[in-house]
Amino acid sequence: MTFDRVWLDANLCTMVAREGDPLGVIEDGAIAARDGHIAWVGRRADLPADATTTTQCDGAWILPGLIDCHTHLVYAGDRAREFEMRLEGASYEAIARAGGGILSTVRATRAADEAALVAAALPRLDLLLAEGVTTIEVKSGYGLELETERRMLRAARRLAGLRPVSLQTSLLAAHAVPPEFAGDADGYARHVAEDILPAIAAEGLADAVDGFTDSVIGFDLAQTRLVFEAARRAGLPVKLHADQLRDDAGAALAARHGALSADHIEYANAAGIAAMAHAGTVGVLLPGAFYFIRETHLPDIAAMRAAGLRLALATDLNPGSCPAPSLLLMLNMGCTLFRLTVAEALAGVTRHAAAALGLSDRGMLAPGLRCDLALYGISRPAELCYWIGRNPCLGRVVAGA
Ligand SMILES: [Zn+2]
């Protein structure tokens, strides 16, 4: 058997769950790659042949490359002034009057050309990659009109050509109601479904369609359904920001439409959780946003476990509610704030994050999957969840290179 490349003297956290070993650990292991895919995984002593290129890992731990399945990486401007005003006691109305809030990001993003969007996003992307991320999802949603939504998605696709990373894009035109449609969420949802979404789909710029269901500041169930039906006509899978601030039955709606994931879900009710598990919809937990907006209503993790719901963890990196370009920090927050186990948290940034993006070719160390690896200088996998603000990543491998 011949391989392109072999990694030796590594401890493997394969994430292929076994009875009594949810991390699928192989100590003193080796991984071999051929044509960008994993060709062999096992104990070093059982490796059938050597390759032309071998890498000694000196006891480092290798995990599947991390997957950040929910980000708003591409945007212009920043919201630090708004953060400062809030700490000085300003109300949301005062901040809005001073030009803050999501519409300030919309204004800045509309004014930025593609090169400016790429330049702003690149340093944020680099921070994620430096932690071992090899796949990232990027949403639009700060244009709220065709031209800028398209430019955001093009900028996202450009990033994938500038760095070794696998990138998935989601059209989130139904993120907020733009000023042009103030007071007419129905009209804007129709515009998304009939004009923006078909145009973006025809250009092949989106891998999925996302929405924001919230009865007070987002789109209601009927408006979201309109967008999801347009996605189905365009042949695109859907996902949803659901039940973040109150129980709007968003989780059940996502499940009914066979969504890849329902995200946030702090307020998702038992029926919604059961429907998600039944439909195979992944629950994406975003503890960074929970922390930053000082939410106190915890997601019902016990009900999610009991239902057998697959849980992912992501950064939700965005300028308004989670300026945190760190997936390792989310591992810690998922454990400290939501009381996930180490095995649940690590599955949330590997195998279940892959499922949340509809990708079956990654997220574990197993023959036939993409050879996306993250190497860490740690003594046990729990360290990835334990540290706050320490990055032990030694290197990444994307598609075997
Ligand atoms: Zn989000």
Coordinates of all heavy atoms in Angstrom, one line a residue, residues 102 175-177 212-220 244-246 248:
I102 N -27.9 46.8 14.3 CA -27.6 46.0 13.1 C -27.6 46.9 11.8 O -26.8 46.7 10.9 CB -28.5 44.8 12.9 CG1 -28.1 43.9 11.7 CG2 -30.0 45.3 12.7 CD1 -28.9 42.7 11.6
H175 N -32.5 38.5 7.4 CA -31.8 38.7 8.7 C -32.5 39.8 9.5 O -32.6 39.7 10.7 CB -30.3 39.1 8.4 CG -29.4 39.0 9.6 ND1 -28.2 39.6 9.6 CD2 -29.5 38.4 10.8 CE1 -27.6 39.4 10.7 NE2 -28.4 38.7 11.5
A176 N -32.9 40.8 8.8 CA -33.6 42.0 9.4 C -34.3 42.7 8.3 O -34.1 42.4 7.1 CB -32.5 42.9 10.0
V177 N -35.3 43.6 8.7 CA -36.0 44.3 7.7 C -35.2 45.6 7.4 O -34.9 46.4 8.3 CB -37.4 44.7 8.3 CG1 -38.2 45.5 7.3 CG2 -38.2 43.4 8.6
F212 N -34.0 34.3 10.1 CA -34.0 34.8 11.5 C -35.5 34.9 11.9 O -36.1 35.9 11.6 CB -33.3 36.1 11.7 CG -33.2 36.6 13.1 CD1 -32.9 35.8 14.1 CD2 -33.6 37.9 13.4 CE1 -32.9 36.2 15.5 CE2 -33.5 38.4 14.7 CZ -33.2 37.6 15.7
T213 N -35.9 33.9 12.6 CA -37.3 33.9 13.1 C -37.4 34.4 14.5 O -36.7 33.9 15.4 CB -37.9 32.5 13.1 OG1 -38.1 32.1 11.7 CG2 -39.3 32.4 13.8
D214 N -38.1 35.5 14.7 CA -38.3 36.1 16.0 C -39.6 37.0 15.9 O -39.7 37.9 15.0 CB -37.1 36.9 16.4 CG -37.3 37.5 17.8 OD1 -38.0 38.5 18.0 OD2 -36.8 36.9 18.8
S215 N -40.5 36.8 16.8 CA -41.8 37.5 16.7 C -41.7 39.0 16.9 O -42.6 39.7 16.6 CB -42.8 36.8 17.6 OG -42.3 36.8 18.9
V216 N -40.6 39.4 17.5 CA -40.5 40.9 17.8 C -39.5 41.6 16.9 O -39.9 42.6 16.3 CB -40.1 41.1 19.3 CG1 -39.9 42.5 19.6 CG2 -41.1 40.4 20.3
I217 N -38.3 41.0 16.8 CA -37.3 41.8 16.0 C -36.9 41.1 14.7 O -36.1 41.5 13.9 CB -36.0 42.1 16.8 CG1 -35.4 40.8 17.3 CG2 -36.4 43.0 18.0 CD1 -34.0 41.0 17.8
G218 N -37.6 39.9 14.4 CA -37.2 39.2 13.2 C -38.4 38.9 12.3 O -39.3 39.8 12.2
F219 N -38.4 37.8 11.7 CA -39.5 37.4 10.8 C -40.4 36.4 11.4 O -39.9 35.5 12.1 CB -39.0 36.9 9.4 CG -38.2 38.0 8.7 CD1 -36.8 38.1 8.9 CD2 -38.8 38.9 7.8 CE1 -36.1 39.2 8.3 CE2 -38.1 39.9 7.2 CZ -36.8 40.0 7.4
D220 N -41.7 36.5 11.2 CA -42.6 35.5 11.8 C -42.6 34.2 11.0 O -41.9 34.0 10.0 CB -44.0 36.1 12.0 CG -44.7 36.3 10.7 OD1 -44.4 35.7 9.7 OD2 -45.7 37.2 10.7
Q244 N -34.1 32.2 19.9 CA -32.9 32.8 20.7 C -33.3 33.6 21.8 O -32.7 33.6 22.9 CB -32.0 33.6 19.7 CG -30.8 34.3 20.4 CD -30.1 35.3 19.6 OE1 -30.5 35.6 18.5 NE2 -28.9 35.7 20.1
L245 N -34.4 34.4 21.6 CA -34.8 35.4 22.7 C -36.1 35.1 23.3 O -36.4 35.7 24.4 CB -34.8 36.8 22.0 CG -33.5 37.2 21.3 CD1 -33.7 38.5 20.5 CD2 -32.4 37.4 22.4
R246 N -36.9 34.2 22.7 CA -38.2 33.8 23.2 C -38.6 32.6 22.5 O -38.0 32.2 21.4 CB -39.2 34.9 23.1 CG -39.5 35.3 21.7 CD -40.0 36.8 21.6 NE -39.0 37.6 20.9 CZ -38.3 38.6 21.5 NH1 -38.5 38.9 22.7 NH2 -37.4 39.3 20.8
D248 N -40.6 31.0 20.0 CA -41.5 31.4 18.8 C -41.8 30.1 18.0 O -42.3 30.3 16.9 CB -40.8 32.4 17.9 CG -40.8 33.8 18.5 OD1 -41.8 34.2 19.0 OD2 -39.7 34.4 18.5

